[in-house]
Amino acid sequence: MAIRGGYQGRMLRVDLSRGTVVKEALPSEDVLRRFVGGNGLGVYYLLKEAPMDVVATDPRAPFMIMTGPLAGTPAPSSSDWATVCFHANIPYAAGIGHGHGFWAARLKHAGYDGVRVYGQAPRPAYLWIDDDRVELRDATPYWGLGTRETERRIKVDLDDAENISVACIGPGGEAMLPGAMVKADRNHGAGMGSPGTVMGSKKLKAIAVRGTGRVPLATPTAFMDTVAAWEKVILASPQYSQYNLLHDAGIIRNYGTGLGDTYWVAFKNLTDPEAGRKFGQHLVEACARWRVTPQPSYNCQIRCAYDLEMTSGPFAGYRVSLCGGAANIDGAATVIGVDDPAAALVMAEYYDDMGLEASVFGGILGMVFEAYNRGWLTTADTDGLDLTWGNWQAAMALIEKAIRREGVGAKLATGLKEAAALLGEPSGLAADFRDITVHIKGDGIVMHDWRPFQGALFSLLVAGCGPAHFGHGSDHRPIAEAGYPVPTPGVADTFEETFAKVKTLPSSQFYKMWWDNLGICWFTCGGIPGTPALTAEALGHAVGWNDFSVADAVAVGERTVNALRLIYQKRGFTKRDECDYGQRYLEPAPAGPAQGKTIASWVPAMVDEYYRQMGWDVATGYVRPERLPHLKLEEFAA
Ligand code: SF4
């Protein structure tokens, strides 16, 4: 069955060392049916062509931005771009991040399905994609600029502020800090896996794109019928769906009930959930007084992202441009005890401008602030900075020191576990520092206090590309079609109840990976009944695969999860690594539904059960070789 739409059929392959750009055909239809696009196709390329023994920042390691076959089509929120590379903070993992806005649609409209970048530029460079014309340009004038100014200046210099999207790094990526992200279209960015660190290692400052074409559709009328049905179920979606939480900048109306009241706010390095609850109320009250403008991504009716102008108080006139989730506010502000809503928004904006994902540096600063407030560190250790909880100006100063690798900043720039060791060793407290560091496998979590959601808490531990939104099982955005029993939501009291949550995890991961491969925003699907069938149908009508079923979709998701595990295996993962996390992450919470409760002692058994559910070897956590043909992954056997 020939491909008649969805894909543009071309990729860009960039060699920065040689200064070349080649337009390549996409892989065969068989490969596309197996991996579809987005992170799935990126992981295929990693397995196919990347040397498995190099670190993420080695010039031989690729950096990719992939779209999917629905990106740039009339499908709901068809805006997803996935960064795929080796993980900069976890030596054995792939790193996958997701961003939205207009960049993906513009790349598709320019005629490409993705960009693969190899090598290292001799001097700062950026890639300019203008339909058929693609060239590498000097980025020296932009090196050192924040992401906001980089976007603006490149658009001005290309003389088109309206039709160009710029994906870029900031000073955090240039300095190759852990947690550096790629920003685009002001409100959006991809951070998990530290893709900005990898871009920085390649001296690639930005990829700017303008596209004037369109994405072909195999059966346009049927496609539009499916899209209409899909939009209908989004609008009718249940209370717990992302739509109902986030639409029209909903996070700043719902942060109090959705995060605060559920004790989900990561406050003071997860030591004070009660203060997090109060902050949630204050943030909502403050934002209700200020000017908020929802910002849609391409073809998005949800419009979770927003610009906000503070119209009163000491920051009156200050404008922030943020994405629609709340992990940015938690990671930039509440984790260091900022309880002033204005300062919290300023900090979130600052992280974005520096091009830093708040999960990693937020985790580092949460640890440092707690250590200071416990008296484990003094101003003698912090270059004179007073790290009393909430001192956001001192946090900014620490980040600037980290970017310059100056003083205490040089220690912070080494990463979560490494910084804890370096700071704790002089006083003999390295183990204590390690225990209070909120990390999984050395990477930052999606910054919330997940302890009231034990299923989701566990899901981050075993997510296949380091801690990430990778499918949360049944107690967080459950997927009705997954067919799992509905276990005790949130916090369970018994081992059996908690164990039951593990059984719901694989199928939620398969659906999440499937949606992530399509080039759409997950917020149009997670927790919305009907979307598994509608998304499979939409792909069929877009591409011309009219036989594509929900079972095929789930198989794509399962294949992606297993392909990521093969990368773990090939890069030296051992089962011991699965439970490499800071104790704070699983400590009993001091308040809220998880008060006094922890699943810590059950985690090893839960890991074994997860491996059993996945069909993996329980002794090693590896994909069993005999399952590779069934998964259609045999070409990647070790
Ligand atoms: S829901 Fe939010 S993140 Fe998703 S496409 Fe729309 S504006 Fe972008």
Side-chain angles (χ1 to χ4, degrees):
M1 205 174 283
I3 291 177
R4 291 182 286 130
Y7 299 100
Q8 295 290 24
R10 293 192 304 180
M11 291 274 298
L12 291 171
R13 183 187 171 104
V14 181
D15 186 328
L16 290 167
S17 301
R18 292 193 174 92
T20 57
V21 182
V22 176
K23 293 166 189 168
E24 281 186 351
L26 279 180
S28 69
E29 184 169 358
D30 167 62
V31 171
L32 296 178
R33 272 191 83 117
R34 284 191 287 142
F35 293 94
V36 176
N39 41 217
L41 200 53
V43 170
Y44 165 82
Y45 278 118
L46 270 185
L47 282 164
K48 192 80 183 164
E49 24 179 77
M52 284 291 143
D53 58 349
V54 297
V55 297
T57 52
D58 188 292
R60 290 168 292 168
F63 167 76
M64 303 177 229
I65 304 189
M66 307 294 289
T67 70
L70 297 189
T73 72
S77 307
S78 49
S79 63
D80 189 81
W81 45 278
T83 53
V84 184
C85 52
F86 287 137
H87 203 297
N89 312 324
I90 305 176
Y92 47 82
I96 292 176
H98 289 274
H100 300 94
F102 293 82
W103 193 94
R106 288 189 166 129
L107 186 76
K108 290 288 293 284
H109 296 168
Y112 310 98
D113 295 292
V115 182
R116 301 201 314 291
V117 182
Y118 287 83
Q120 183 185 51
R123 67 189 68 82
Y126 81 99
L127 185 69
W128 168 220
I129 304 165
D130 190 15
D131 284 336
D132 267 343
R133 189 162 60 97
V134 185
E135 60 193 37
L136 282 166
R137 291 185 162 202
D138 180 20
T140 310
Y142 314 117
W143 201 253
L145 297 181
T147 64
R148 305 310 199 199
E149 186 61 2
T150 300
E151 271 193 49
R152 192 190 70 79
R153 285 269 300 273
I154 288 179
K155 288 180 186 180
V156 167
D157 291 348
L158 293 172
D159 199 21
D160 186 354
E162 292 301 310
N163 304 300
I164 291 173
S165 280
V166 178
C168 67
I169 58 171
E174 293 173 14
M176 293 166 57
L177 290 187
M181 70 192 305
V182 181
K183 290 288 299 174
D185 298 312
R186 284 189 71 91
N187 302 76
H188 298 274
M192 302 315 283
S194 296
T197 312
V198 179
M199 256 179 96
S201 75
K202 296 189 175 307
K203 289 202 161 41
L204 180 63
K205 178 69 174 172
I207 304 179
V209 60
R210 176 168 58 192
T212 59
R214 51 180 283 279
V215 181
L217 295 169
T219 49
T221 307
F223 184 82
M224 293 310 294
D225 287 348
T226 300
V227 163
W230 186 355
E231 281 169 348
K232 218 166 149 182
V233 299
I234 293 170
L235 294 177
S237 57
Q239 203 50 41
Y240 53 72
S241 70
Q242 299 286 12
Y243 172 76
N244 275 311
L245 181 70
L246 297 177
H247 77 89
D248 286 339
I251 195 63
I252 54 170
R253 291 187 304 279
N254 297 317
Y255 189 96
T257 49
L259 279 91
D261 291 353
T262 57
Y263 292 83
W264 200 19
V265 177
F267 206 86
K268 286 187 182 171
N269 205 32
L270 276 57
T271 62
D272 196 348
E274 193 58 51
R277 192 179 68 76
K278 289 184 189 134
F279 170 80
Q281 293 161 357
H282 296 154
L283 181 75
V284 171
E285 285 159 16
C287 290
R289 296 194 297 271
W290 296 331
R291 190 172 298 128
V292 176
T293 313
Q295 295 291 329
S297 293
Y298 181 76
N299 208 38
C300 175
Q301 310 294 323
I302 300 178
R303 298 178 292 260
C304 75
Y306 57 96
D307 286 356
L308 181 148
E309 185 186 341
M310 295 179 226
T311 52
S312 58
F315 292 99
Y318 192 89
R319 187 184 123 188
V320 303
S321 300
L322 300 178
C323 68
N328 52 350
I329 294 173
D330 284 24
T334 63
V335 77
I336 57 164
V338 175
D339 60 4
D340 170 42
L345 292 166
V346 167
M347 278 304 288
E349 174 75 12
Y350 175 75
Y351 266 73
D352 277 359
D353 192 32
M354 292 298 105
L356 286 175
E357 157 69 45
S359 64
V360 178
F361 242 80
I364 293 172
L365 295 194
M367 171 267 292
V368 176
F369 270 69
E370 181 173 340
Y372 183 90
N373 284 276
R374 282 173 175 264
W376 298 351
L377 294 174
T378 68
T379 50
D381 306 298
T382 63
D383 301 342
L385 291 166
D386 168 18
L387 303 186
T388 300
W389 288 118
N391 188 348
W392 54 275
Q393 294 100 328
M396 281 185 182
L398 285 177
I399 290 172
E400 273 152 32
K401 282 175 173 290
I403 288 169
R404 294 194 299 271
R405 284 188 158 72
E406 169 193 296
V408 66
K411 294 179 180 171
L412 307 186
T414 58
L416 281 151
K417 288 199 294 186
E418 295 80 358
L422 287 170
L423 290 167
E425 264 159 19
S427 54
L429 293 173
D432 301 279
F433 274 73
R434 194 180 59 223
D435 286 350
I436 65 167
T437 303
V438 181
H439 80 88
I440 293 174
K441 298 180 170 67
D443 195 36
I445 65 167
V446 179
M447 189 54 84
H448 294 302
D449 188 341
W450 291 94
R451 291 173 293 188
F453 300 93
Q454 290 170 337
L457 178 91
F458 179 74
S459 79
L460 291 185
L461 287 179
V462 294
C465 47
H469 285 305
F470 196 82
H472 288 315
S474 63
D475 67 1
H476 194 254
R477 318 278 171 247
I479 300 159
E481 287 85 344
Y484 35 60
V486 179
T488 312
V491 177
D493 285 316
T494 67
F495 171 71
E496 288 71 24
E497 286 173 340
T498 310
F499 207 59
K501 293 170 185 283
V502 181
K503 296 192 170 76
T504 73
L505 192 51
S507 56
S508 76
Q509 294 179 337
F510 302 161
Y511 279 112
K512 175 67 165 57
M513 290 300 104
W514 153 246
W515 289 323
D516 282 353
N517 291 359
L518 286 171
I520 51 152
C521 178
W522 169 54
F523 292 170
T524 62
C525 303
I528 303 177
T531 49
L534 288 164
T535 47
E537 213 174 283
L539 179 72
H541 295 320
V543 180
W545 292 333
N546 293 331
D547 60 340
F548 202 92
S549 66
V550 174
D552 292 328
V554 174
V556 168
E558 181 174 13
R559 189 170 301 115
T560 306
V561 175
N562 279 275
L564 284 162
R565 182 63 41 161
L566 288 177
I567 290 177
Y568 268 36
Q569 294 172 211
K570 288 170 186 276
R571 288 172 64 77
F573 168 86
T574 65
K575 189 177 178 186
R576 184 195 298 244
D577 296 316
E578 203 74 86
C579 293
D580 175 13
Y581 56 84
Q583 296 306 309
R584 172 60 48 78
Y585 184 63
L586 292 189
E587 271 175 11
Q595 184 172 18
K597 296 179 183 174
T598 174
I599 62 168
S601 63
W602 301 332
V603 164
M606 293 168 78
V607 167
D608 286 355
E609 177 60 18
Y610 172 70
Y611 288 174
R612 272 190 287 274
Q613 295 288 329
M614 288 299 302
W616 295 343
D617 185 324
V618 173
T620 61
Y622 282 18
V623 182
R624 292 179 190 278
E626 62 272 24
R627 291 205 74 238
L628 292 174
H630 162 75
L631 294 164
K632 298 188 179 171
L633 287 171
E634 59 269 46
E635 70 191 283
F636 301 122

